[in-house]
Amino acid sequence: MDTFTVVFHVVCLFVQSVIQLAFISRLSGKSYRVRHMLFYVLCLLALSAASVKSALVSTLAIAIQMFILYGMNRVFLRAPRSEALLCATLADYICQLSFGMTYSIESVIFPYFMGTLTLYLLLIIATLAAFFICIVCYALVLKLVSFKQTAPMPYLTLLLIPGLFFFTAELYILHMSYSKIPVTLSLVQKGEHAGLFVLQVLGLAALLCTLYAYQRICAGFEAQAALRSLEQAAKAQKIYLAEAQTRYEQTKAFRHDIKNHLLILDSMLRKGQLEESRAYLQKLNAASTALFFPYRTGNPVVDILLSEKLGLAAAEQIKTGVSVILPKSCAIEDVDWCVIFANALDNALNACRALEGQSEINISGKRQGDFYLLEFQNTCVEHSAPKKGTGLSNIQSVAEKYHGAILTQKQNGMFSLSVLLNIS
């Protein structure tokens, strides 16, 4: 090898390692560090040097490179086996496919420039084109699949089958067709390389279509889960509405009978029956207290929900605090208020139950112009990461329905959920 070839090869390996590790980091949501990148570059250089000396290593070089990536994903990122293998397969396959497509063109054009300086320029252009195709493909894959999303990805291992098939097919094409570039090509050989180019383009399209179909399947699973949760929430809200109506009827009946109660008390007092009057007043007080909710937000449905959820908290010795006055006339439906409060409080109760010692749940709300900000705070396990499960997804769906947003934060053993809603 001449000096240009050696330097160019080292630079290409360095750029390849940076691009591949950046892709895997974005795909998995976990970051590689600089020392990991340097380790990968050294592994590629060592593999390249071994390939020159050993025909067997040269044949298996690409497969060995993929398993190096797999090992790095497992050790450095602590990724699950299926995720680590799929990340390595996608990163290596797309990279090799990008270079394979340019090899098809190189095999037809380069023989005409053998022994000239133009060949070096064409080599640089072809390599840049290969990296460009690789980056574009990586960007498309990141739009279709991302392991950093919080919702679980079902049947992830099914992607390994087409992924490994595409990867093996590309290995065969590269080994059988591009191991050596002939000095001259016949018309038939040119046609074969053109066919291989089309085949690799179709292979890339097949991979992207497979990932797109998988992404749609995952979206369908998430939609079904969200629908089931909303159906359950809707059933629960009907119960809350029915109870609110019952409380209203009880209050109406009590107010209707209050005059009779006052007449009875007046009669007792006139007769000097002080003890009987005191006992009767205590019964009236107990009856009137039962008609009121311990929390008054201005929305009877939410009041019932808070009484139920925070009643559970009080029974489990969880300290609670509520400072919420909901707007009486706004665009937010009662069912949507309940979805927010029910899911937020269920998550808060579960977090407090997992914590030993004193726990607390605080709820506050305030109006900010045309928006209303709800804040839920609860104690949580110090080193636990907040997960966006179905409950938070339901809250986010409600927030987006009213052109709002949610924000979660964990600090000093406290988890906070902020929900901003447009109430205009």
Side-chain angles (χ1 to χ4, degrees):
M1 292 186 183
D2 56 13
T3 304
F4 172 81
T5 304
V6 174
V7 174
F8 185 74
H9 186 64
V10 172
V11 172
C12 286
L13 289 180
F14 178 78
V15 175
Q16 175 185 334
S17 65
V18 172
I19 294 175
Q20 286 185 332
L21 296 186
F23 166 70
I24 292 175
S25 295
R26 292 285 301 277
L27 186 63
S28 63
K30 304 171 184 176
S31 299
Y32 273 109
R33 298 185 179 181
V34 175
R35 66 173 181 269
H36 300 154
M37 182 189 68
L38 295 177
F39 171 79
Y40 185 49
V41 172
L42 292 176
C43 288
L44 294 185
L45 290 174
L47 182 61
S48 178
S51 300
V52 175
K53 297 180 180 181
S54 173
L56 178 62
V57 175
S58 177
T59 303
L60 300 176
I62 298 176
I64 295 173
Q65 177 184 340
M66 187 195 73
F67 281 106
I68 291 174
L69 270 179
Y70 168 76
M72 292 179 61
N73 293 339
R74 290 283 292 158
V75 174
F76 297 141
L77 300 186
R78 302 186 182 278
R81 290 188 181 89
S82 57
E83 179 181 323
L85 184 56
L86 186 58
C87 283
T89 302
L90 290 175
D92 217 5
Y93 168 70
I94 292 174
C95 185
Q96 299 304 326
L97 183 65
S98 302
F99 277 91
M101 294 168 64
T102 58
Y103 288 160
S104 298
I105 300 174
E106 292 175 9
S107 299
V108 176
I109 298 177
F110 279 20
Y112 296 103
F113 297 94
M114 287 295 184
T116 65
L117 293 176
T118 308
L119 181 64
Y120 294 105
L121 178 61
L122 291 176
L123 181 61
I124 294 174
I125 294 175
T127 304
L128 291 175
F131 280 128
F132 176 77
I133 295 172
C134 183
I135 293 172
V136 171
C137 293
Y138 282 161
L140 291 174
V141 172
L142 289 173
K143 288 186 176 181
L144 298 176
V145 179
S146 178
F147 301 127
K148 66 183 179 181
Q149 59 194 39
T150 52
M153 301 180 70
Y155 309 121
L156 180 62
T157 52
L158 292 181
L159 279 180
L160 291 174
I161 299 175
L164 290 174
F165 169 76
F166 294 140
F167 181 76
T168 306
E170 182 61 20
L171 282 182
Y172 180 80
I173 292 173
L174 292 176
H175 178 69
M176 297 300 295
S177 303
Y178 302 123
S179 56
K180 292 182 180 179
I181 298 178
V183 178
T184 59
L185 286 177
S186 64
L187 184 60
V188 174
Q189 289 175 317
K190 293 179 181 179
E192 289 176 352
H193 284 295
L196 288 175
F197 175 81
V198 174
L199 183 62
Q200 292 177 100
V201 172
L202 291 176
L204 176 60
L207 174 66
L208 295 176
C209 288
T210 301
L211 295 176
Y212 176 77
Y214 179 75
Q215 188 262 351
R216 299 308 302 168
I217 291 174
C218 290
F221 275 103
E222 292 179 8
Q224 289 179 1
L227 181 60
R228 286 194 297 268
S229 178
L230 288 175
E231 287 176 348
Q232 294 174 356
K235 291 179 181 179
Q237 308 332 316
K238 289 181 179 179
I239 297 175
Y240 297 144
L241 291 171
E243 187 172 344
Q245 183 64 30
T246 301
R247 290 292 186 100
Y248 174 77
E249 295 296 335
Q250 291 175 346
T251 303
K252 184 178 179 181
F254 181 81
R255 292 177 61 185
H256 180 268
D257 294 336
I258 193 66
K259 290 183 178 180
N260 294 329
H261 293 308
L262 292 176
L263 288 175
I264 293 174
L265 277 173
D266 181 67
S267 176
M268 289 181 177
L269 291 172
R270 288 178 181 275
K271 295 178 181 179
Q273 300 173 342
L274 298 179
E275 293 298 328
E276 291 83 350
S277 301
R278 188 177 294 108
Y280 196 84
L281 277 173
Q282 290 177 349
K283 291 180 181 180
L284 283 179
N285 183 57
S288 63
T289 302
L291 297 176
F292 294 98
F293 301 111
Y295 306 100
R296 301 179 185 179
T297 64
N299 186 304
V301 178
V302 175
D303 292 345
I304 295 172
L305 191 150
L306 287 176
S307 299
E308 177 186 343
K309 300 294 183 182
L310 297 186
L312 294 174
E316 299 181 29
Q317 305 301 316
I318 299 174
K319 184 180 178 181
T320 59
V322 178
S323 177
V324 176
I325 299 297
L326 298 177
K328 293 184 179 180
S329 58
C330 66
I332 314 296
E333 298 179 2
D334 287 346
V335 170
D336 293 325
W337 282 124
C338 286
V339 168
I340 295 173
F341 278 89
N343 286 283
L345 290 175
D346 284 342
N347 291 344
L349 284 170
N350 290 333
C352 290
R353 287 164 181 161
L355 185 67
E356 296 182 359
Q358 184 63 42
S359 301
E360 63 178 294
I361 299 174
N362 295 307
I363 311 171
S364 62
K366 57 183 177 181
R367 182 165 184 164
Q368 298 178 340
D370 291 335
F371 290 86
Y372 193 83
L373 178 64
L374 274 172
E375 292 184 320
F376 300 86
Q377 289 186 329
N378 61 269
T379 49
C380 63
V381 178
E382 181 68 28
H383 301 292
S384 67
K387 297 181 179 180
K388 185 179 177 182
T390 304
L392 283 179
S393 297
N394 291 341
I395 296 174
Q396 184 171 9
S397 298
V398 173
E400 291 175 351
K401 176 181 177 181
Y402 296 101
H403 309 289
I406 70 171
L407 175 66
T408 59
Q409 187 177 7
K410 181 177 176 295
Q411 188 175 10
N412 298 328
M414 292 292 295
F415 176 78
S416 63
L417 166 66
S418 301
V419 184
L420 187 66
L421 303 169
N422 188 336
I423 58 176
S424 61

